[in-house]
Every structure is written in structure tokens, then in C-alpha cells.
Amino acid sequence: MTTIADKPDYSLYSNAFGYLRQPLDFKPLEGDADVVVLGLPFDMATTGRSGGRMGPGAIRNASVNLAWEETRWPYQFKLSEHVKIVDAGDLVYNCGDSADFTQRVEDFATKILEADKAMLSFGGDHFVTLPLLRAHYKKHGQMALLHFDAHTDTYSQGSKYDHGTMFYHAPIEGIIAAENSIQVGIRTEYDTANHLFEVIDAAAANEMTADEIVAQIRKRVGDMPLYVTFDIDCLDPAFAPGTGTPVCGGLTSDKAMKIIRGLKGMKIVGMDVVEVAPAYDSAEITALAGATLGLEMLHVWAESNGKIK
């Protein structure tokens, strides 16, 4: 196995710019990448503590801890030999203009997906998922949503740009099929009588095995195209303190990774990790969790999209 010691120009922290040390490519449409990583430095839709706009940079920095392991445990293949990944950097938009940001996300993602490339996006607050979903809908049609979070984000009383309203609007727009969608880790108030999504709340998830949770996800989603969105506050603050709206009683990072690994073979068409706010982090553990969850998603995407022969 090649190690850092075998690479004189490769040290853990020097010259690490792209996610997982993958090349920066600000014109990804012109290349042959399979997956484009996009940072979305936006937190104007937050209702709690701001700071998520710094999340993509923190996740990239933390990802250097993962890049050295060419064959990621417990997988039996080198991701880099099967999937070409480029980092398109952060989306540029008119600062302070939520409408401009929203349209630019949708337009950029639409072009990437039309070029038959997949996306892994890093927020930013959770609002960023709504324009991403709109773009993925144009490519894949109506999707199921697998949503990891402490909050349902189905609240109707928020503003047009609000990180708690995306999954109120998305079913109304026909983008996601609520009857095939499921939320994991919920542990805050919501309208249980009129809730459209299946919920595995945090208390239940912490009692269940990862395999039991995966079985419930598979039953709900079926063979629908699947978009996976992971709000880092799904994890307990012990594992992810660096977020805007932390809630005690969440999942462990170990269980979350096991659940994602269990998605192998499902029709995963899009992925994001959001709400990492490094100003509230401790020892970069939240950023590391976000970077690691993204890497797990990439491995499962590769296995599920015919990249591993």
C-alpha cells in the first residue's frame, strides 16, 4: 500500500485545496469527471446561528485526513480508480441576494446534470437543497428523499428563503414524492397528524440497528430515484457541535455511516451535506464528520451506479 512516506511531495496538510485533494476544476463541463463537488457558501436562510457559509471550506480542510487512505475502510476498492472526481470550488453569487443565489445554484446544477455528471454538494445552510432538488428533478423526474436531520424542515410559516421550509415546498412543486420519502433522526416539534413523510425519530433510530433502519428506508423508497441530504445536526452535538441549531439526543457518526453504507444498490442520483458551521466547532470534528459522510456517499454512489465491476 502506498503511504504518505512514499510520496515526498505529499504531506497531510500542505497544498490541499480540493475536497479529498481532488483537482480544482472551475470549468467542469469541459472535462470528463463522473462527479462534481460543489461548495455552496450560503447561510442567509438560517433561523439559528449563522456561519454555515464557511462550511464548504472547513469540510475541504478536514478531508485531508481522509485522502491518504486510498482504499477506504471497509470498502474493497480504490475510489479514485473507478470514479473521476473534480472540485468545482464554491458557487459565486451576488452576496446578500438570496434570489440570485437560488437561481445560480439551479442553473449551475442543471448544466452539470445535463452533462451526465453527478453532484456532491456541501453547504451552507439547508436551504441550498431546494434549488439542487429543482435541478435534479429536470434530469431524473420525481424523486424520493432520504433526509437526515434533527428537524423536519416542513414548516409552512417560514419565508421564501428559509432553511426550515424546503420540504414543505418540494412536495407541492412535485419534485419529491412524499409517499416514498423518509426522514431519520428527527427530534424536534412537527405536525405529526398531517406529516407527509415517514419518520424514524432519533429515539427510535438510537434503539434500532443500522440494518433495521436501512430495511425501513428501502421499503419506503422502493425503486425511486433517490436524493440523499444530510443535515449535520442529525448527529448528536457530541459528534457535531459545529452547527447552527444543535439538538441533543442525535445519532452517532458510526451509525450514520453504517446507514449510508447500507444504501448500496439504491438509485442514488444526488447527494449533499449541509449546516456545518466551523465557528462553533471543536477540534474540527464536525467538519471531519461532514467530509467523511460525503466520502461514504461517494463510495455508495460508485457501487450503485455501475462504477465497480
Side-chain angles (χ1 to χ4, degrees):
M1 183 184 80
T2 303
T3 67
I4 293 174
D6 300 317
K7 301 177 179 180
D9 58 344
Y10 188 123
S11 64
L12 189 60
Y13 281 101
S14 62
N15 302 316
F17 304 113
Y19 176 66
L20 299 173
R21 291 187 175 273
Q22 297 307 299
L24 289 171
D25 185 351
F26 297 119
K27 296 182 179 180
L29 290 173
E30 300 175 7
D32 59 351
D34 300 300
V35 179
V36 175
V37 174
L38 178 65
L40 297 170
F42 176 86
D43 60 10
M44 291 185 292
T46 53
T47 54
R49 304 182 298 187
S50 62
R53 70 183 65 187
M54 310 305 291
I59 290 170
R60 288 188 181 96
N61 287 340
S63 76
V64 299
N65 293 284
L66 308 172
W68 67 271
E69 190 178 18
E70 294 181 342
T71 302
R72 168 74 177 167
W73 185 90
Y75 301 95
Q76 298 300 310
F77 62 91
K78 293 182 180 181
L79 184 65
S80 61
E81 292 183 353
H82 300 273
V83 179
K84 183 172 182 180
I85 303 164
V86 298
D87 189 331
D90 291 341
L91 184 82
V92 177
Y93 63 97
N94 296 325
C95 293
D97 190 337
S98 296
D100 180 67
F101 170 82
T102 304
Q103 192 61 55
R104 290 195 189 211
V105 174
E106 183 177 344
D107 291 347
F108 183 90
T110 296
K111 292 176 183 177
I112 294 296
L113 296 166
E114 285 177 345
D116 292 324
K117 305 177 190 300
M119 293 184 67
L120 168 63
S121 304
F122 292 122
D125 69 48
H126 210 159
F127 175 78
V128 306
T129 301
L130 184 56
L132 287 169
L133 284 172
R134 288 169 176 160
H136 282 76
Y137 172 75
K138 296 175 188 177
K139 173 71 174 181
H140 300 287
Q142 192 176 56
M143 299 164 286
L145 182 73
L146 171 55
H147 173 206
F148 295 87
D149 207 319
H151 315 82
T152 65
D153 296 338
T154 55
Y155 312 111
S156 61
Q157 68 272 25
S159 69
K160 185 177 181 180
Y161 307 106
D162 188 312
H163 72 159
T165 63
M166 305 81 60
F167 308 131
Y168 169 76
H169 292 292
I172 292 174
E173 294 180 23
I175 296 170
I176 59 174
E179 64 271 18
N180 295 102
S181 299
I182 186 166
Q183 300 173 308
V184 180
I186 305 302
R187 53 193 186 278
T188 52
E189 180 184 11
Y190 66 98
D191 183 1
T192 57
N194 299 297
H195 197 64
L196 299 177
F197 301 89
E198 183 172 349
V199 171
I200 303 176
D201 64 47
N206 285 331
E207 294 294 327
M208 298 168 69
T209 66
D211 288 343
E212 289 170 337
I213 295 170
V214 169
Q216 198 163 328
I217 292 170
R218 288 181 175 275
K219 182 178 180 180
R220 180 73 169 182
V221 173
D223 61 356
M224 290 279 292
L226 179 63
Y227 190 98
V228 181
T229 181
F230 201 108
D231 186 324
I232 205 70
D233 72 24
C234 179
L235 302 181
D236 190 87
F239 301 89
T243 190
T245 50
V247 183
C248 290
L251 276 62
T252 68
S253 52
D254 176 64
K255 178 164 281 187
M257 289 188 291
K258 287 176 178 175
I259 295 168
I260 291 172
R261 291 170 193 157
L263 304 179
K264 177 182 176 181
M266 301 188 76
K267 296 180 181 179
I268 300 172
V269 297
M271 308 159 281
D272 69 52
V273 180
V274 298
E275 296 283 358
V276 171
Y280 314 110
D281 207 358
S282 176
E284 300 180 341
I285 61 173
T286 310
L288 179 61
T292 304
L293 290 165
L295 182 54
E296 295 288 344
M297 290 178 185
L298 287 173
H299 279 81
V300 172
W301 180 89
E303 291 181 311
S304 303
N305 283 273
K307 300 298 182 180
I308 310 304
K309 306 298 184 182

